[in-house]
Amino acid sequence: LYRRYALWFRLRKLIIWLLGVYIAIPFLVKLCPAIQAKLVFLNFVRVPYFIDLKRPQDQGLNHTCNYYLQPEEDVTIGVWHTVPAALWKNARGKDQLWFEDALGSSHPIILYLHGNAGTRGGDHRVELYKVLSSLGYHVVTFDYRGWGDSIGSPSERGMTYDALHVFDWIKARSGDNPVYIWGHSLGTGVATNLVRRLCERETPPDALILESPFTNIREEARSHPFSIYRYFPGFDWFFLDPITTSGIKFANDENVKYISCSLLILHAEDDPVVPFHLGKKLYNIAATSRSFRDYKVQFVPFHTDLGYRHKYIYRSPELPRILREFLGKSEHEHHH
């Protein structure tokens, strides 16, 4: 009886302690909005941990060069440039200048903006670069300030500025070649911020591709399956308002109203991180927006049975055809 009582006492103590922590966390987040910002960016999660970002060849990217660019004083960002597979043999042993000149060769270029957590060397990202390279695209990708080996403090403004800097760097070297922007997950927020700015200054990209996008960060945080506080009283006040206070909006739904270039949205129905319905909702907003009236807006769903979830759409055997048909039309628009 005594043993049972001691066990019950211990269990009760644990339950009270867990309940205390559960209730304390919202107040902690409210008092320190920086915590919530860190949870949005997850830039401190550096998986896979032991890779040397200076050596993309270790990830099987033998036709990739590692650069460092400086968008602002005190900010340095690490960039990978993978050339099309057709240039693979020529690329061996070549230096940065050769790779930069190669952007002027007659191959389209994709600027890839990755999501939160991890680095430009993340497994699913590397696999996508390989697919895109095999289809004849240059792929330029980078780690935002505060991610990977890039120096600086993360912020939505900073991430967008880094993307703008890399885009301009590409355009200065790419001649007449089409340049497409591809954003994944949180990177879709950076992508629409960037493309809105490019359209406002009348230098739009040739197309925008959004993989697993959301409408805005508040709706994404509210729908996120890991959000165990969703039904907590005052959820918005405790959790969503601190995100806004930190200057984090990633308002894809607002940005698409100011974007004028072809738009392709890819989303898996079984996405456990960004719910499918948010991608569909964003498509519906874009499809009815006046800014897209002269451009193609396409939504491609991937059935639950395929199991592509949040980051495996690159595995789709249909992807080459989808891109060829969509970007082929964009290139046609580009040349006319």
Side-chain angles (χ1 to χ4, degrees):
L1 194 68
Y2 172 74
R3 208 195 261 143
R4 197 178 291 174
Y5 177 76
L7 188 69
W8 164 241
F9 181 74
R10 271 224 256 9
L11 191 65
R12 203 176 62 174
K13 225 163 116 178
L14 181 68
I15 289 167
I16 290 167
W17 184 81
L18 287 172
L19 198 63
V21 169
Y22 180 77
I23 290 167
I25 284 173
F27 289 96
L28 198 63
V29 168
K30 187 67 184 172
L31 289 169
C32 309
I35 294 172
Q36 189 67 327
K38 278 204 173 309
L39 292 175
V40 170
F41 296 137
L42 291 177
N43 58 304
F44 54 89
V45 179
R46 301 201 173 177
V47 285
Y49 283 100
F50 301 111
I51 73 166
D52 181 354
L53 292 169
K54 291 185 179 69
R55 292 178 53 82
Q57 61 269 36
D58 292 352
Q59 309 310 304
L61 294 170
N62 296 324
H63 49 322
T64 298
C65 189
N66 180 61
Y67 309 144
Y68 291 96
L69 300 178
Q70 200 169 3
E72 291 179 294
E73 212 181 339
D74 303 328
V75 175
T76 307
I77 56 174
V79 181
W80 279 1
H81 170 199
T82 302
V83 294
L87 303 177
W88 184 81
K89 281 197 172 111
N90 300 348
R92 277 189 297 194
K94 296 296 197 297
D95 63 1
Q96 181 172 336
L97 273 174
W98 182 89
F99 274 83
E100 287 189 35
D101 287 345
L103 286 169
S105 66
S106 59
H107 293 272
I109 299 146
I110 290 178
L111 169 58
Y112 177 78
L113 304 169
H114 70 64
N116 67 359
T119 67
R120 63 191 183 277
D123 296 346
H124 65 282
R125 294 164 187 162
V126 167
E127 292 309 315
L128 179 66
Y129 314 153
K130 289 175 183 173
V131 170
L132 296 176
S133 168
S134 72
L135 297 175
Y137 300 103
H138 287 274
V139 183
V140 177
T141 186
F142 66 95
D143 279 316
Y144 317 103
R145 59 188 72 186
W147 270 260
D149 57 355
S150 297
I151 296 160
S153 298
S155 67
E156 181 174 350
R157 187 206 71 83
M159 293 163 81
T160 305
Y161 192 80
D162 294 345
L164 181 65
H165 183 80
V166 177
F167 178 84
D168 286 342
W169 179 87
I170 292 168
K171 286 299 275 185
R173 290 155 180 78
S174 61
D176 275 345
N177 295 330
V179 179
Y180 308 122
I181 288 165
W182 183 313
H184 173 244
S185 193
L186 191 68
T188 64
V190 183
T192 66
N193 280 350
L194 168 64
V195 176
R196 175 176 177 175
R197 192 178 288 194
L198 293 175
C199 291
E200 282 168 355
R201 73 171 201 194
E202 297 182 355
T203 57
D206 294 280
L208 170 62
I209 299 160
L210 300 177
E211 180 191 355
S212 317
F214 47 85
T215 43
N216 59 66
I217 202 69
R218 284 180 79 102
E219 284 197 357
E220 161 56 12
R222 195 179 287 120
S223 311
H224 200 291
F226 305 145
S227 177
I228 54 170
Y229 288 96
R230 231 181 305 192
Y231 306 109
F232 194 87
F235 174 74
D236 283 29
W237 189 77
F238 278 113
F239 289 95
L240 303 186
D241 292 353
I243 298 179
T244 311
T245 305
S246 301
I248 303 170
K249 295 189 175 72
F250 291 115
N252 288 336
D253 49 357
E254 199 50 41
N255 287 339
V256 292
K257 297 172 186 170
Y258 298 91
I259 286 174
S260 37
C261 69
S262 298
L263 171 66
L264 172 64
I265 295 178
L266 310 169
H267 214 133
E269 290 175 0
D270 59 339
D271 190 328
V273 178
V274 179
F276 179 77
H277 71 87
L278 290 185
K280 189 75 177 151
K281 184 176 177 183
L282 182 66
Y283 165 73
N284 291 333
I285 293 167
T288 55
S289 168
R290 287 178 55 208
S291 68
F292 283 106
R293 64 176 168 236
D294 298 327
Y295 297 94
K296 189 175 180 193
V297 180
Q298 189 180 347
F299 183 83
V300 180
F302 294 87
H303 198 272
T304 303
D305 294 349
L306 297 166
Y308 295 153
R309 298 170 67 79
H310 183 58
K311 52 190 184 186
Y312 301 113
I313 285 174
Y314 72 82
R315 291 178 180 166
S316 170
E318 292 297 303
L319 191 60
R321 180 191 58 78
I322 292 162
L323 293 178
R324 203 165 40 244
E325 287 178 6
F326 178 78
L327 294 177
K329 291 198 170 69
S330 299
E331 280 174 42
H332 183 74
E333 285 166 11
H334 171 83
H335 292 304
H336 289 76

